């Protein structure tokens, strides 16, 4: 009799646990679905295409008071991680054009925003302004269908938020009047394998070529 009562208690306890956990799992799945939906909407608004590269695993993006990113992934078994930030500039460009006719309300050109955004990220990660900055060469811009871009090689602050990685390569790209993309690649070794992974993983993103003008 005691054995039967004990079994019944275990069954009831298990049932209560399942009832408590299932809503949490459902909420997590729903949140992930919404997160993906928002990310792909951002890509569409910024005129970007994205294809998950093989061998990579999606991870939770950092989104707090210090950094706000829309998507992140790593390569299991490697010290390699990528954070993505996507911004549409379409509405900003419309507002900028309207401001040209209003001398009292002049706005900054949205096509230069990639510079301010990427520099702010680089400074926050490095803790100062000592990092290597390069202008993207035309052949790299053409690969991404971008009009302008910069890269930053950063010695990172030792932060828990960045999982104590040592280095970061920041690539910022702009398609005029359309969108801005910032990708941050983390590593502990600046070796050829790291740059091979950057090129492979980076190829998952590119701007859609602008439509040719109609007569």
């Amino acid at each position: 009799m005691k054995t039967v009562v004990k079994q019944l208690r275990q069954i009831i306890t298990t049932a209560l646990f399942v009832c408590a956990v299932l809503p949490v799992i459902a909420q997590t799945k729903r949140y992930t679905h919404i997160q993906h939906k928002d990310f792909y909407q951002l890509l569409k608004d910024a005129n970007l295409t994205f294809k998950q590269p093989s061998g990579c695993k999606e991870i939770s993006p950092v989104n707090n008071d210090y950094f706000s990113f829309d998507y992140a992934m790593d390569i299991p078994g490697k010290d390699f991680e990528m954070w993505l930030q996507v911004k549409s500039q379409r509405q900003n460009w419309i507002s900028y054009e309207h401001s040209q006719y209003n001398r009292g309300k002049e706005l900054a050109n949205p096509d230069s925003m990639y510079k301010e955004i990427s520099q702010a990220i680089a400074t926050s990660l490095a803790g100062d302004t000592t990092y290597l900055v390069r202008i993207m060469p035309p052949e790299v811009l053409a690969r991404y269908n971008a009009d302008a871009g910069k890269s930053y090689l950063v010695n990172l602050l030792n932060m828990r938020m960045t999982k104590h990685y040592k280095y970061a390569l920041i690539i910022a790209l702009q398609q005029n009047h359309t969108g801005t993309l910032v990708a941050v690649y983390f590593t502990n070794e600046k070796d050829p394998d790291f740059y091979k992974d950057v090129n492979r993983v980076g190829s998952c993103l590119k701007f859609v070529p602008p439509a040719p003008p109609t007569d």
Side-chain angles (χ1 to χ4, degrees), residues 74-80:
D74 66 8
I75 300 178
K78 282 193 172 186
D79 290 329
F80 182 93

Side-chain angles (χ1 to χ4, degrees), residues 137-149:
E139 60 271 18
V140 175
L141 296 177
R143 191 186 311 160
Y144 291 97
N145 296 318
D147 296 304

Side-chain angles (χ1 to χ4, degrees), residues 182-194:
V182 179
V184 184
Y185 302 90
F186 295 95
T187 186
N188 288 317
E189 299 292 338
K190 296 181 290 184
D191 56 13
D193 283 343
F194 169 64

Side-chain angles (χ1 to χ4, degrees), residues 5 8 12 20-21 43 45 47 56 59 63 70 80 86-87 96 116 118 144 152 158 175 178 181 191 207:
V5 171
L8 284 172
I12 292 170
V21 169
L43 292 171
D45 293 342
N47 206 36
C56 291
I59 58 176
N63 190 358
D70 306 300
F80 182 93
V86 178
K87 292 185 180 298
Y96 172 74
E116 286 77 14
S118 55
Y144 291 97
Y152 303 76
N158 187 12
Q175 188 178 75
T178 307
L181 167 67
D191 56 13
F207 288 100

